Amino acid sequence: QIMIPVAAFAVTVTGASAFNTDMLSKIDVDLTASQVSALEEAHELRVDGVDREEVKTFLEDAGIDEDTMKEIKEATREVRDTQREAVKTALDNDDYDAFLTASADSPLADAITSEADFATFKAAHELRASGDYEGAQELMSELGIEKPAGQGGRGGEMGGAHKERGDGEGGPRGEQAAE
């Protein structure tokens, strides 16, 4: 049952295009270099459309069992929760430098590249907090952070997929930021 998230791990837990060894280096899970490599390859397999059962078997053959996947998922969630709280604190304190630190190595860092972008992101956060989800989403769209399909009211800054500005192609799935 947890192996369904195996495919999901490579595609959603860390984000479809955001999966990388940076996240694995931030979590406290004992993985061998070959297991890290297997996770990266599993991600590529899923992106290429390989069947989840094949990916599951591939990961099991690499020594990544259900317990390891649970451990990775929990550790990833903890890192993202810590990052989300640091981003929220930076927004609450209107602290661009703290935001840069909190969002480093995340898709938010790619979307918010100036103090003006930070001000727009903060305004979107404030609109969302006041219940103006549409207004918040408009500002998030200006930043290239789009609400992913199937996310209902959890748009933009909450796990939203972002697009690289100007190219119209979908980019990495956004990091979970402040609610």
Side-chain angles (χ1 to χ4, degrees), residues 44-87:
E44 292 302 321
L45 291 170
R46 286 301 299 147
V47 168
D48 292 342
V50 173
D51 179 71
R52 288 179 181 201
E53 287 301 313
E54 289 180 52
V55 174
K56 173 186 170 186
T57 300
F58 173 79
L59 288 170
E60 287 172 343
D61 290 346
I64 301 171
D65 60 11
E66 291 182 24
D67 289 338
T68 302
M69 288 308 302
K70 285 179 186 178
E71 190 177 354
I72 291 168
K73 185 175 180 179
E74 281 181 29
T76 300
R77 183 172 297 134
E78 287 174 18
V79 167
R80 293 197 188 273
D81 287 350
T82 299
Q83 184 178 33
R84 182 182 317 113
E85 187 58 36
V87 166

Side-chain angles (χ1 to χ4, degrees), residues 64-173:
I64 301 171
D65 60 11
E66 291 182 24
D67 289 338
T68 302
M69 288 308 302
K70 285 179 186 178
E71 190 177 354
I72 291 168
K73 185 175 180 179
E74 281 181 29
T76 300
R77 183 172 297 134
E78 287 174 18
V79 167
R80 293 197 188 273
D81 287 350
T82 299
Q83 184 178 33
R84 182 182 317 113
E85 187 58 36
V87 166
K88 182 181 182 318
T89 299
L91 287 169
D92 290 347
N93 295 330
D94 197 23
D95 187 342
Y96 179 62
D97 290 330
F99 173 81
L100 290 176
T101 301
S103 65
D105 299 322
S106 78
L108 274 180
D110 296 336
I112 300 167
T113 59
S114 69
E115 289 193 48
D117 289 346
F118 177 71
T120 301
F121 185 69
K122 182 175 173 33
H125 173 76
E126 291 167 351
L127 286 173
R128 185 175 181 274
S130 71
D132 184 356
Y133 299 105
E134 187 175 310
Q137 189 56 45
E138 286 176 24
L139 292 179
M140 297 303 282
S141 293
E142 287 177 21
L143 293 169
I145 302 171
E146 300 296 330
K147 183 166 85 173
Q151 288 293 316
R154 294 182 64 170
E157 80 269 33
M158 277 301 297
H162 84 61
K163 295 181 181 180
E164 298 298 326
R165 289 185 212 167
D167 68 7
E169 295 296 319
R173 186 166 175 186

